[in-house]
């Protein structure tokens, strides 16, 4: 393993930090037949947790597991395509018989069954428009899952996406299938808390009370520090625990951001090298600026008023009462009304995150980059260094 601080994919327990309670709860819910709604801000570790749970013996031995990310899907056809393809890909290693059975039950997907010209291996190849009736295909997929030799778990990541499909009643159609199936348990995960809450916990919605809610917060600080310390030591890189703690604090433990900085630091330190504060700061800076092209593009595409409000919130870090006279004066904004409108638009674009009355920049690296861009790098340089 070149760098133990993984930024994508899942390898094993070794590179997965903490989450013992979440893993135990999750596994218990699933093995007791409860569907789970897993919610957290983006990049907190939902996908990682699902993958980790799928590797637990209680699950891997007794269930077939499927994972579909529907973030990029725009309608039921594309949803059905993704689900069908995932099931096919998971079955493929089990041999010809399974693949044939798959296409005999899900006959509407049969045109997708092709053989690779070179290797002769079965492949799934169908144009999305060739899926004539997505509802029928969906029904067949559920029929297939129900007839499976082992119970199945289907994780649908970024589930809130179905609320954006143009077809009506998708959630009602899905709910009917989900409810009828006896052999399949579902995980619905996503980052848009209010949409998911509304879908699953509002009495007028089809999914009402069909699942248990699991929210995912940051990994426990102590556990993270022990984890990072272990990996630095193992590679004979000497990093004071207090540096790890301060990086954790800088991002409030938000998993991806802490991991990305640790990954950077690990890559910049030589074996036996003693890490200094300056090196930590450089690693943070390098990581943040590695996204500079992307961040400048986002900034350039924003209308002026949104840019001004974004800059104000970024400078503030966590901004409260952004429509108050004080805030507007401090950052020379136009008016309370225009600030409110800009903030709403930035929330819709997921550039802002709101927690009650407090706004912050959703992508923490973007927030730090903006602070640097607007000439104030204090947050980049671990403000608490004096507390050490
Ligand atoms: N328990 C963990 N230990 C170490 N790294 C983790 C852990 N959980 C997640 N990560 C890392 O954190 C990052 C974000 O995790 P993940 O992709 O699972 O988040 P997510 O909530 O699914 O994000 P998104 O909302 O963007 O889909 C990844 O780089 C992943 O490798
Ligand atoms: Mg994810």
């Amino acid at each position: 393993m070149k760098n133990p601080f993984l930024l994508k994919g899942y390898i094993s327990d070794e590179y997965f930090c903490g989450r013992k309670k979440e893993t135990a709860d999750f596994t218990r819910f699933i093995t007791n037949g409860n569907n789970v709604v897993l919610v957290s801000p983006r990049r907190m570790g939902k996908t990682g947790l699902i993958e980790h749970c799928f590797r637990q013996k209680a699950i891997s031995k007794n269930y077939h597991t499927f994972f579909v990310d529907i973030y990029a899907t725009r309608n039921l056809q594309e949803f059905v395509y993704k689900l069908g393809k995932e099931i096919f890909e998971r079955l493929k290693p089990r041999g010809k018989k399974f693949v044939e059975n798959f296409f005999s039950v899900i006959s509407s997907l049969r045109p997708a069954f092709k053989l690779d010209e070179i290797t002769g291996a079965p492949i799934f190849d169908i144009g999305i428009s060739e899926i004539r009736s997505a509802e029928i295909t969906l029904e067949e997929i559920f029929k297939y899952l129900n007839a499976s030799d082992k119970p199945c778990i289907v994780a649908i990541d970024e589930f809130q996406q179905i609320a954006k499909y143009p077809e009506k009643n998708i959630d009602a159609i899905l709910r009917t299938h989900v409810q009828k199936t006896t052999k399949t348990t579902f995980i619905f995960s996503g980052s848009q808390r209010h949409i998911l809450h509304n879908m699953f916990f509002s009495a007028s919605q089809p999914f009402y009370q069909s699942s248990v809610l699991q929210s995912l917060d940051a990994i426990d600080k102590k556990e993270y520090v022990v984890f990072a310390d272990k990996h630095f030591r193992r590679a004979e890189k000497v990093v004071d625990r207090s540096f790890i703690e301060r990086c954790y604090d800088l991002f409030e433990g938000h998993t991806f951001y802490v991991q990305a900085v640790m990954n950077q630091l690990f890559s910049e330190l030589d074996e036996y090298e003693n890490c200094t504060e300056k090196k930590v700061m450089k690693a943070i800076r390098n990581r943040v600026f590695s996204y500079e092209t992307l961040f400048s593009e986002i900034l350039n595409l924003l209308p002026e008023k949104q840019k001004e409000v974004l800059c104000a919130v970024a400078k503030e870090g966590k901004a409260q009462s952004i429509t108050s006279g004080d805030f507007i004066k401090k950052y020379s904004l136009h008016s309370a009304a225009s600030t409110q409108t800009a903030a709403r638009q930035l929330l819709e674009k997921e550039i802002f995150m709101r927690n009650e009355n407090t706004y912050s920049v959703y992508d923490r690296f973007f927030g730090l980059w903006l602070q640097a861009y607007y000439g104030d790098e204090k947050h980049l340089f671990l403000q608490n260094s004096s507390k050490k």
Side-chain angles (χ1 to χ4, degrees):
M1 173 55 49
K2 285 206 181 86
N3 193 317
F5 299 100
L6 304 185
L7 297 182
K8 56 180 195 284
Y10 178 92
I11 295 185
S12 69
D13 251 2
E14 222 16 64
Y15 305 100
F16 187 80
C17 170
R19 302 266 192 239
K20 290 210 163 46
K21 182 173 183 319
E22 290 93 334
T23 305
D25 287 349
F26 201 92
T27 310
R28 197 180 54 249
F29 285 141
I30 294 290
T31 52
N32 282 284
N34 295 284
N35 298 329
V36 177
V37 182
L38 179 63
V39 187
S40 83
R42 298 201 66 96
R43 302 184 145 187
M44 194 59 90
K46 297 176 294 295
T47 304
L49 179 65
I50 296 172
E51 299 240 22
H52 185 61
C53 291
F54 280 1
R55 280 354 186 253
Q56 303 304 301
K57 264 208 187 117
I59 290 185
S60 65
K61 265 176 73 182
N62 304 317
Y63 292 84
H64 293 305
T65 56
F66 303 98
F67 184 95
V68 260
D69 180 343
I70 61 164
Y71 189 69
T73 63
R74 283 163 307 168
N75 51 43
L76 187 63
Q77 255 179 343
E78 294 184 10
F79 174 89
V80 161
Y81 172 87
K82 272 251 163 183
L83 186 56
K85 186 164 166 53
E86 162 69 6
I87 298 174
F88 170 82
E89 296 296 345
R90 305 278 296 169
L91 284 171
K92 209 166 63 173
R94 303 180 72 201
K96 207 169 140 212
K97 216 179 86 201
F98 287 92
V99 171
E100 273 170 7
N101 182 35
F102 172 84
F103 285 114
S104 77
V105 179
I106 311 174
S107 57
S108 59
L109 285 182
R110 198 159 186 97
F113 183 26
K114 307 209 170 99
L115 295 176
D116 186 287
E117 279 177 22
I118 299 163
T119 63
I123 49 170
F124 187 94
D125 179 16
I126 190 170
I128 292 188
S129 59
E130 286 178 73
I131 298 177
R132 302 248 180 268
S133 168
E135 282 187 42
I136 291 179
T137 307
L138 190 67
E139 213 171 301
E140 289 175 344
I141 289 178
F142 276 90
K143 197 166 122 199
Y144 177 82
L145 292 172
N146 272 330
S148 166
D149 56 341
K150 277 190 206 174
C152 300
I153 304 172
V154 177
I156 307 178
D157 208 5
E158 309 295 356
F159 188 68
Q160 71 263 346
Q161 200 60 27
I162 69 154
K164 297 182 192 149
Y165 291 176
E167 297 96 341
K168 287 204 178 73
N169 298 331
I170 296 294
D171 44 358
I173 294 168
L174 266 176
R175 162 76 203 238
T176 311
H177 287 302
V178 166
Q179 221 176 12
K180 273 201 308 207
T181 166
T182 45
K183 277 180 89 175
T184 305
T185 312
F186 290 84
I187 299 160
F188 305 103
S189 70
S191 51
Q192 294 191 339
R193 174 174 286 272
H194 60 283
I195 301 185
L196 286 166
H197 265 234
N198 190 35
M199 272 171 147
F200 287 90
F201 304 102
S202 121
S204 60
Q205 299 299 320
F207 276 101
Y208 181 55
Q209 286 190 335
S210 62
S211 311
V212 287
L213 176 71
Q214 196 174 18
S215 300
L216 201 62
D217 292 321
I219 295 169
D220 178 74
K221 183 170 168 182
K222 273 197 197 125
E223 282 182 293
Y224 192 79
V225 174
V226 169
F227 169 82
D229 182 61
K230 177 182 79 184
H231 285 297
F232 281 121
R233 272 170 202 279
R234 214 175 259 181
E236 316 260 10
K237 301 188 181 196
V238 189
V239 180
D240 196 296
R241 279 190 178 211
S242 69
F243 291 145
I244 306 171
E245 279 168 13
R246 276 157 54 197
C247 286
Y248 180 101
D249 291 343
L250 179 67
F251 300 108
E252 296 175 291
H254 202 146
T255 317
F256 168 76
Y257 301 95
V258 189
Q259 277 283 99
V261 165
M262 291 299 123
N263 178 292
Q264 185 80 29
L265 186 59
F266 188 94
S267 71
E268 290 182 12
L269 284 175
D270 291 325
E271 223 173 295
Y272 307 115
E273 188 177 354
N274 220 329
C275 178
T276 59
E277 179 164 351
K278 216 166 144 197
K279 284 187 180 134
V280 179
M281 295 188 303
K282 187 167 153 262
I284 297 174
R285 200 171 201 288
N286 285 344
R287 175 55 66 161
V288 168
F289 277 81
S290 71
Y291 302 103
E292 175 148 49
T293 317
L294 173 74
F295 293 158
S296 333
E297 243 165 57
I298 299 175
L299 195 60
N300 284 337
L301 288 173
L302 288 180
E304 209 49 44
K305 280 194 178 137
Q306 290 178 35
K307 240 190 237 178
E308 285 164 11
V309 175
L310 173 61
C311 161
V313 167
K315 278 192 168 172
E316 196 78 5
K318 289 205 178 301
Q320 281 179 332
S321 319
I322 59 166
T323 52
S324 70
D326 285 348
F327 191 84
I328 287 168
K329 203 165 141 213
K330 185 171 172 188
Y331 292 104
S332 314
L333 301 172
H334 292 263
S335 65
S338 70
T339 303
Q340 183 84 54
T341 308
R344 185 176 37 84
Q345 288 159 335
L346 290 164
L347 273 176
E348 276 163 15
K349 292 178 189 161
E350 291 196 350
I351 291 177
F352 272 179
M353 160 145 110
R354 189 176 68 189
N355 202 343
E356 290 173 8
N357 196 19
T358 305
Y359 288 83
S360 54
V361 179
Y362 202 145
D363 183 316
R364 288 166 192 266
F365 287 155
F366 189 32
L368 289 182
W369 179 81
L370 285 164
Q371 283 170 5
Y373 184 82
Y374 288 112
D376 173 9
E377 298 208 17
K378 66 175 192 289
H379 294 278
L380 262 184
F381 296 103
L382 298 171
Q383 334 151 12
N384 306 335
S385 58
S386 56
K387 276 195 204 156
K388 200 193 145 191

